[in-house]
Amino acid sequence: MRILSGIQPSGKLHIGNYFGMMRPALELQEQGEAFLFIANYHALTTVDNPAELRRGTLDVALDFLACGLDPGRTVFFRQSDVPEVTELTWLLSIVTPMGLLERCHSYKDKLARGIKPNHGLFAYPVLMAADILAYQSHLVPVGRDQKQHVEVTRDIALKFNNQYGPVFTIPDVSIRESVAVVPGVDGQKMSKSYDNTIEIFGEEKATRTRIMRMVTDSKTVEEAKDPAESTLYALYALFVAEAEREAMAGRYRAGGLGYGQVKKELFAVMWEHFAPMRARRAELAKDPGYVESVLTDGAARARAEARKTVDAARRAVGVV
Ligand code: ADP
Ligand code: TRP
């Protein structure tokens, strides 16, 4: 089974990215052949500063390696190092109905937030389909906001296969329901675009302050509280085992527990959870040559796969 996912280098890795996509993808490394990549071409739709894009790309590479990506087992690369993917994007464009792209929530959300649409933003899902289909991926682990893009990919692949013959594997989306939408400090979906994230490799003081300033309701310490309504509880639950989760829920319901206390405990479990990864990241950051060699090697392996698919697609449409 081939597992594939990508992440844009367009901001600092946060708890939502980690639990929604990164950890499930890294766990799947054990179950099949994983392809993970840094979607720097996608990031170009929102990042227009070259230095920022370069820095973001190195950051994501360090993040993944620090969090347990095993380059011996997993093919890890930069999207832009595989030009076959952009070649495939065109071949997929010709079977992609406009209406399919017009219906994409992510595109509509970006317009609603005032981003000026260009063709790249509109065609974003076709490039994503090429990412997935180029490697004949079976399973795509993502957070819920990316589900529709994988469905679009399936539609495009089916349409191509119907019209030109069976070139592409039809991928399935894999969503870890328990962490499909991690809430941010304001209770909305955690997202870079909402400025409500908790970075996983942020600086200690800033991270503590971020958590201590989280908005809660105005219940007093004495009052009983409902864990199901608490963003703090939802975040705490991500880091601890069942028994500790239950214990915390019990303390909420019993009353006598203030939100300030929960915040302290949330910071403590989070800081400890990422401690080994933080240390590993600091080590890796001293060796950019190693990181680059992992990505270069990954790109060569990825390209070999993508070339086979693109050649088959070219033959199928009649351009060879
Ligand atoms: P952001 O919304 O911060 O811009 P991205 O769109 O770059 O994040 O998402 C990268 C990956 O992380 C995607 O697979 C996405 O589904 C997942 N993800 C992002 N935010 C969350 C969240 N709050 N909960 C669960 N998964 C998330
Ligand atoms: N669009 C995805 C995101 O913003 C990133 C991405 C690009 C991706 N290509 C992909 C994810 C292919 C999974 C598979 O999170």
Side-chain angles (χ1 to χ4, degrees):
M1 182 174 64
R2 180 159 297 159
I3 298 135
L4 171 133
S5 196
I7 187 165
Q8 295 190 58
S10 53
K12 299 282 185 200
L13 189 72
H14 58 70
I15 295 177
N17 301 140
Y18 177 76
F19 286 103
M21 186 285 247
M22 188 182 252
R23 199 165 73 169
L26 291 174
E27 282 170 9
L28 285 168
Q29 283 184 121
E30 316 290 323
Q31 286 172 36
E33 189 189 9
F35 277 53
L36 291 174
F37 69 94
I38 307 171
N40 54 351
Y41 273 162
H42 277 112
L44 278 172
T45 60
T46 50
V47 181
D48 59 10
N49 176 328
E52 193 186 315
L53 186 64
R54 238 173 257 125
R55 199 176 333 112
T57 305
L58 175 64
D59 273 339
V60 176
L62 291 171
D63 292 341
F64 263 105
L65 291 167
C67 289
L69 185 145
D70 172 1
R73 184 192 283 255
T74 294
V75 180
F76 186 39
F77 58 101
R78 268 179 299 248
Q79 183 182 35
S80 59
D81 285 343
V82 186
E84 284 75 11
V85 165
T86 45
E87 188 179 355
L88 184 58
T89 302
W90 181 252
L91 299 180
L92 298 178
S93 291
I94 50 149
V95 296
T96 306
M98 291 289 284
L100 192 63
L101 301 180
E102 279 160 358
R103 282 195 295 277
C104 284
H105 305 302
S106 158
Y107 176 67
K108 291 192 283 189
D109 288 351
K110 285 172 186 159
L111 292 197
R113 276 194 275 118
I115 296 179
K116 290 257 177 304
N118 55 38
H119 178 254
L121 196 70
F122 185 65
Y124 182 112
V126 190
L127 177 59
M128 182 155 161
D131 287 326
I132 296 170
L133 301 176
Y135 311 106
Q136 306 286 354
S137 316
H138 299 105
L139 202 61
V140 184
V142 283
R144 193 179 290 150
D145 61 324
Q146 294 296 318
K147 180 170 182 238
Q148 190 186 30
H149 286 155
V150 182
E151 287 163 358
V152 166
T153 301
R154 290 170 58 93
D155 285 353
I156 294 175
L158 285 168
K159 212 147 176 283
F160 189 102
N161 284 356
N162 272 335
Q163 197 162 323
Y164 295 113
V167 171
F168 300 116
T169 302
I170 309 301
D172 283 313
V173 66
S174 158
I175 294 181
R176 182 83 53 91
E177 279 307 326
S178 57
V179 289
V181 186
V182 174
V185 293
D186 57 359
Q188 284 194 74
K189 176 200 133 116
M190 186 177 291
S191 172
K192 285 171 287 222
S193 357
Y194 304 152
D195 190 25
N196 64 356
T197 66
I198 301 175
E199 290 175 18
I200 81 170
F201 294 124
E203 201 258 317
E204 180 166 4
K205 190 153 174 275
T207 307
R208 182 183 289 113
T209 308
R210 187 82 167 157
I211 292 177
M212 293 313 291
R213 293 209 180 131
M214 275 178 67
V215 185
T216 59
D217 61 32
S218 51
K219 288 208 170 77
T220 62
V221 174
E222 294 72 34
E223 276 178 273
K225 302 173 179 69
D226 181 2
E229 281 177 9
S230 167
T231 304
L232 278 174
Y233 176 79
L235 293 177
Y236 179 84
L238 294 169
F239 293 101
V240 298
E242 177 81 37
E244 291 154 285
R245 241 185 340 259
E246 280 311 310
M248 179 59 90
R251 289 164 68 201
Y252 260 76
R253 293 192 198 97
L257 174 69
Y259 289 122
Q261 180 60 28
V262 183
K263 289 174 177 175
K264 276 192 203 144
E265 294 182 33
L266 169 60
F267 173 76
V269 288
M270 176 202 155
W271 197 253
E272 188 188 309
H273 183 88
F274 293 117
M277 301 169 212
R278 201 174 302 118
R280 171 130 179 79
R281 196 179 189 285
E283 280 306 306
L284 286 162
K286 290 183 202 149
D287 196 355
Y290 167 75
V291 177
E292 186 54 40
S293 73
V294 167
L295 294 175
T296 310
D297 177 54
R301 289 157 73 192
R303 277 196 83 172
E305 286 303 309
R307 193 67 252 165
K308 283 191 254 169
T309 305
V310 177
D311 284 344
R314 282 166 59 102
R315 271 195 302 278
V317 300
V319 291
V320 193

